[in-house]
Amino acid sequence: MLSPKENDLLTRVGPRTPMGEMMRRYWLPAMLTEEIPAPDCPPVRVRLLGEDLVAFRDTQGQVGLLDERCAHRGTSLFFGRNEECGLRCVYHGWKYDVNGNVVDTPAEPAGSDFKSKVRHTAYPCREIAGMIFTYMGAAERCPVFPRYEWFDLPTGNLFPVKSYLECNYLQGIEGDFDSSHTSFLHNNNLQDTERLKRDGAPRLEAESTAYGMRAVSIRKAGAERIYVRTSPYILPSFSIVPGPPTAKFEEDDIRGFRFWVPIDDTTTWLYILNMRRKPFSDDERHALRSWIAPDYRRVRNAGNNYLQDRDRQRTASYTGIDAVNPAEQDGCATETMGAICDRSREHLGYSDLTIIALRKMLLRALSDVAEGKDPPHVIRAAHDSDFSRLRSVKGILPAGTDWRQVMAGKGPNDG
Ligand code: FES
Ligand SMILES: [Fe+2]
C-alpha cells in the first residue's frame, strides 16, 4: 500500500509533475509508423504525457511532432495543410518545419522578420522498428538511445501493435511485474486442475539492475524440478514478459517488448513490439492484431464488459474472457481498478513482493531526479547503450538449484 501522496507521485505524468519530469528524461514511443505512412500524408493528433501534439511527415519523409496549438493564436495544427516541407496553419497560413521553425508568415507585411523571433515547441523524433520515438525533455539532457534486441532486427522480423488502455499506465505495467496473477487471470483451461496446485503461489524475488529491476518467480515443476521465469522492468515503463512455458526459444518463438506510455494520467497506450528470428507472414501479422480495432481500441473493452461469457467462465476459463492476446484479460483486471487505482486502500501480501519492490525503485528514481541526478537507465555514452541481450528468461532447473542458473553465461544487462 502507498500513501495518497506517494500514489500521486507515481501516477501523475503531466508537465512539471515529478513522474512527468522523470518520464521526460527518456525516449518514448509516440506513435506507429503506419499512422503517418507517407510524405505529406494527413497529420495525426498525438497526446502524450498530458500534452496535445500533432505529428506529420514532411515532403522529404522527416517526422515532426509539434505542439498542436499554433504559436500565432492557437488554432489546431491538426487541420493544417501538410505541403512543401512544412505544416501550414489553416487560420492565417503560418508554416512550421519539423524542427518547430516558423518558415512562413504570409499575413505579415513583405520583408517582415517576425517569423525569426518565434520558435514553436517541437520534439525530436526517431523512427525505429516501425515505431516513432520522441524525447520531450530539455534538449541539453537528451540521452543516447538504448540498443535493445530489436534495434538492429530487419523490419520483416518486427511487428509493432498498439492498444488503448483506459487507466493509468502504472496499473498496466504493474501487471507485467506480477507473476502470480498469470495462474488465475490467464488460466484458459479449467480442466487442467493440476495447474493451480502446481504453480498458484510461486516463490518471488526482485532485484535491482542497471536498466531497472528484474522480477523472478520460481514454481514447482513436479517433485524434482523448478520452473523459473525472469521478467525485466525497464525504466521508465517498459517490460518484457515471458511467453507460455511451451513456447520454444527457437525460430518460431515470438517475443514481445512492451511499452506502457501515458497518454495522460488516466489513459495509456500499450505498444507491443512483436519480434522473431524469422519474418512474419501477412496472415501472422493479421492474427497478431486481430484483438485491436482499427482505431486502436481493444475489441474487448470496458464498454462491452470485455465480452465476458459466463458459460465459458463456468466450463472453460477462469475469466470467461477469450483472449487472442493475454492483454485482453489484463485490460479487464487493470481498467476495473479505476482510472487511477487508489493504492492507499490495498491489502498487499506475499504475492505482491515484486510490486512493492518496483514501487520503491520508482520512488528512489524520482528522488534522484529531484536531487538533480539522472535516474537509472538514462544513458550518456554509446558504450553503455548495449542492451541487445536483455530478455525475459525462463527455464526448468533441478529442485534446489539457485534460480540464477537460468541466466548462466549472461552478462549484467542480460536476461
Ligand atoms: S492561428 Fe495559426 S496562423 Fe493564425
Ligand atoms: Fe497478465
Side-chain angles (χ1 to χ4, degrees):
M1 138 178 168
L2 292 177
S3 70
K5 182 161 177 263
E6 289 170 324
N7 200 34
D8 258 18
L9 275 174
L10 293 184
T11 56
R12 306 282 172 177
V13 295
R16 293 171 296 283
T17 59
M19 183 54 83
E21 179 62 26
M22 184 168 113
M23 290 259 180
R24 285 167 173 79
R25 301 290 179 98
Y26 301 88
W27 286 93
L28 301 173
M31 62 196 309
L32 298 175
T33 289
E34 68 182 28
E35 296 178 72
I36 44 171
D40 293 333
C41 66
V44 170
R45 286 194 183 96
V46 174
R47 189 164 158 79
L48 200 52
L49 304 182
E51 294 186 41
D52 288 314
L53 309 168
V54 62
F56 72 106
R57 190 182 296 276
D58 77 6
T59 313
Q60 290 173 346
Q62 302 182 95
V63 176
L65 186 61
L66 308 179
D67 184 343
E68 186 185 348
R69 309 271 161 240
C70 179
H72 178 217
R73 278 169 46 204
T75 294
S76 169
L77 294 174
F78 169 72
F79 299 95
R81 303 174 60 85
N82 186 8
E83 57 188 18
E84 294 164 358
C85 275
L87 186 61
R88 200 183 273 283
C89 177
V90 290
Y91 204 1
H92 313 93
W94 282 32
K95 183 177 177 184
Y96 302 90
D97 70 10
V98 293
N99 298 313
N101 299 305
V102 184
V103 293
D104 195 17
T105 52
E108 295 300 304
S112 158
D113 74 338
F114 185 36
K115 63 175 187 275
S116 67
K117 303 198 172 78
V118 183
R119 183 72 198 277
H120 194 57
T121 298
Y123 296 124
C125 293
R126 291 188 63 172
E127 209 162 355
I128 306 169
M131 302 170 67
I132 295 168
F133 292 82
T134 192
Y135 168 73
M136 296 171 71
E140 67 276 11
R141 277 203 297 261
C142 187
V144 174
F145 200 104
R147 299 176 74 85
Y148 300 113
E149 178 183 14
W150 39 267
F151 194 90
D152 295 313
L153 277 182
T155 48
N157 299 27
L158 296 165
F159 183 54
V161 300
K162 77 178 201 180
S163 69
Y164 184 69
L165 189 75
E166 296 178 66
C167 67
N168 182 259
Y169 83 96
L170 188 59
Q171 277 147 252
I173 192 159
E174 281 186 347
D176 285 355
F177 219 56
D178 166 11
S179 183
S180 52
H181 84 271
T182 56
S183 309
F184 306 93
L185 187 74
H186 303 311
N187 179 351
N188 295 319
N189 181 7
L190 291 178
Q191 308 314 319
D192 182 2
T193 49
E194 285 302 301
R195 179 172 173 171
L196 284 183
K197 276 189 245 159
R198 187 173 70 230
D199 64 11
R203 192 154 67 75
L204 301 172
E205 289 191 30
E207 55 179 34
S208 293
T209 61
Y211 53 78
M213 293 208 82
R214 175 186 295 126
V216 184
S217 65
I218 303 138
R219 292 174 158 87
K220 290 197 195 84
E224 304 295 326
R225 296 189 300 173
I226 53 172
Y227 169 48
V228 177
R229 294 164 35 127
T230 71
S231 327
Y233 179 103
I234 303 154
L235 280 162
S237 54
F238 311 152
S239 72
I240 311 175
V241 294
T246 49
K248 289 184 297 174
F249 252 27
E250 306 294 339
E251 265 218 320
D252 286 338
D253 189 19
I254 299 174
R255 286 198 287 277
F257 194 105
R258 296 152 72 97
F259 310 81
W260 300 86
V261 186
I263 299 169
D264 49 33
D265 291 348
T266 57
T267 56
T268 303
W269 287 121
L270 165 59
Y271 291 83
I272 303 176
L273 179 49
N274 298 290
M275 65 187 116
R276 196 172 56 181
R277 295 215 181 113
K278 68 178 187 188
F280 291 106
S281 68
D282 287 347
D283 283 352
E284 286 168 331
R285 288 169 193 270
H286 182 76
L288 282 169
R289 72 158 293 164
S290 60
W291 53 288
I292 305 168
D295 64 358
Y296 300 112
R297 287 178 189 260
R298 293 157 204 244
V299 173
R300 297 169 183 278
N301 56 55
N304 57 30
N305 284 334
Y306 307 92
L307 302 176
Q308 186 187 40
D309 180 328
R310 295 289 187 181
D311 277 339
R312 297 209 25 96
Q313 188 174 35
R314 262 189 298 278
T315 58
S317 72
Y318 206 78
T319 57
I321 298 169
D322 288 339
V324 177
N325 190 301
E328 298 172 86
Q329 295 160 340
D330 292 321
C332 172
T334 54
E335 288 176 335
T336 57
M337 294 167 160
I340 301 179
C341 176
D342 181 354
R343 292 178 177 76
S344 70
R345 295 165 56 101
E346 296 172 330
H347 298 85
L348 300 182
Y350 176 81
S351 70
D352 306 298
L353 181 147
T354 51
I355 300 293
I356 295 166
L358 166 65
R359 294 173 185 175
K360 283 191 182 147
M361 185 271 289
L362 290 174
L363 287 168
R364 273 198 307 276
L366 289 180
S367 303
D368 288 347
V369 176
E371 290 166 17
K373 293 187 256 176
D374 277 337
H377 201 45
V378 167
I379 297 159
R380 293 284 164 219
H383 60 80
D384 291 331
S385 68
D386 183 9
F387 291 85
S388 59
R389 282 159 44 111
L390 180 52
R391 304 273 192 282
S392 171
V393 178
K394 59 193 170 181
I396 305 271
L397 298 173
T401 317
D402 183 342
W403 66 261
R404 284 173 185 79
Q405 290 300 322
V406 86
M407 315 251 309
K410 296 182 180 296
N413 291 336
D414 303 349

